[in-house]
Amino acid sequence: LRESGITLSFIQAGSLFSDQDYLNTIFEKPLHGLILMDPLSDSIFQKIQKMVPHIVGIDTLRNEIDDVGYDHLRSGMIATRHLIEKGHTKIGFVGGSGEQETLKDSQRYQGYLIAMHQAGLPICEEWIIDCNWNEDVCLEKVDLFSKKKTLPTALFAASDLLAMATMKSLSLNGISVPTQMAVIGMSN
């Protein structure tokens, strides 16, 4: 891309777009395109849409742009079933609550619940970790989680970034992945 004169930037937190100074800095130089992974508020989206000619969304549910989406519920069920098929019966969940929902309202968590219930497996509340979709929070919470007496044999992380943070924290606590605990992530 660089050889073609194209610069690729990655902005992780959609909340940064609500800062007008930050928004002005980002769009100081014209952008030719944007892959949007956060629905954003209507006012912020409209500002960005005026500045960027080509926007593609991932799970934004916006009709104004091309949007790639997937079934979060089914994906959560598939990931959890995979762990069950591998012989795991003690499975925890690492995820995040969105701005308008609790963790337990998320489709990925609901998929985890359905798969666990269909398999007749118990849900242990101590193994449900809400990281608010933040890798730093995930590192801290999994660190505390790792010190519990009873741990699951597997964790379903609701995003690949949370899975990476989970594996890092487990490793820092001397828990070998996948030997002592399996971790599966899912993402767009």
Side-chain angles (χ1 to χ4, degrees):
L1 291 174
R2 285 187 187 154
E3 292 172 6
S4 302
I6 297 172
T7 303
L8 183 63
S9 299
F10 180 75
I11 303 165
Q12 186 174 351
S15 60
L16 294 173
F17 284 121
S18 61
D19 180 342
Q20 188 61 46
D21 292 333
Y22 184 78
L23 201 59
N24 292 337
T25 302
I26 292 291
F27 297 106
E28 196 171 75
K29 294 181 182 177
L31 292 178
H32 299 289
L34 177 68
I35 298 173
L36 186 62
M37 295 177 65
D38 191 327
L40 304 176
S41 70
D42 287 340
S43 61
I44 293 169
F45 176 76
Q46 289 167 1
K47 286 179 189 177
I48 291 172
Q49 195 175 27
K50 289 177 186 174
M51 296 183 267
V52 182
H54 307 286
I55 301 174
V56 173
I58 299 177
D59 254 355
T60 65
L61 302 176
R62 290 203 165 270
N63 294 325
E64 308 96 315
I65 59 175
D66 289 328
D67 191 66
V68 179
Y70 66 99
D71 187 338
H72 295 257
L73 180 78
R74 187 165 185 271
S75 297
M77 290 170 63
I78 290 169
T80 306
R81 285 179 182 153
H82 175 76
L83 293 171
I84 294 167
E85 288 166 6
K86 293 294 180 185
H88 296 283
T89 58
K90 298 176 180 178
I91 304 169
F93 180 86
V94 180
S97 51
E99 291 178 18
Q100 299 158 356
E101 64 181 23
T102 68
L103 175 126
K104 293 184 178 183
D105 291 330
S106 80
Q107 292 291 297
R108 296 173 198 203
Y109 179 78
Q110 291 296 315
Y112 158 79
L113 273 185
I114 290 168
M116 294 291 284
H117 286 298
Q118 286 177 340
L121 298 175
I123 309 293
C124 180
E125 290 296 323
E126 290 184 357
W127 299 342
I128 309 301
I129 305 169
D130 186 350
C131 297
N132 203 29
W133 301 112
N134 182 306
E135 294 83 46
D136 293 329
V137 172
C138 186
L139 283 168
E140 293 171 17
K141 288 195 173 187
V142 173
D143 178 59
L144 293 172
F145 166 82
S146 298
K147 293 167 177 45
K148 293 181 185 284
K149 281 186 174 184
T150 307
L151 294 173
T153 61
L155 288 171
F156 163 36
S159 81
D160 289 340
L161 293 173
L162 292 182
M164 288 186 286
T166 296
M167 290 187 292
K168 179 179 180 179
S169 186
L170 290 171
S171 177
L172 290 171
N173 281 282
I175 299 171
S176 176
V177 175
T179 308
Q180 292 174 284
M181 188 177 302
V183 177
I184 189 170
M186 69 171 272
S187 204
N188 308 355

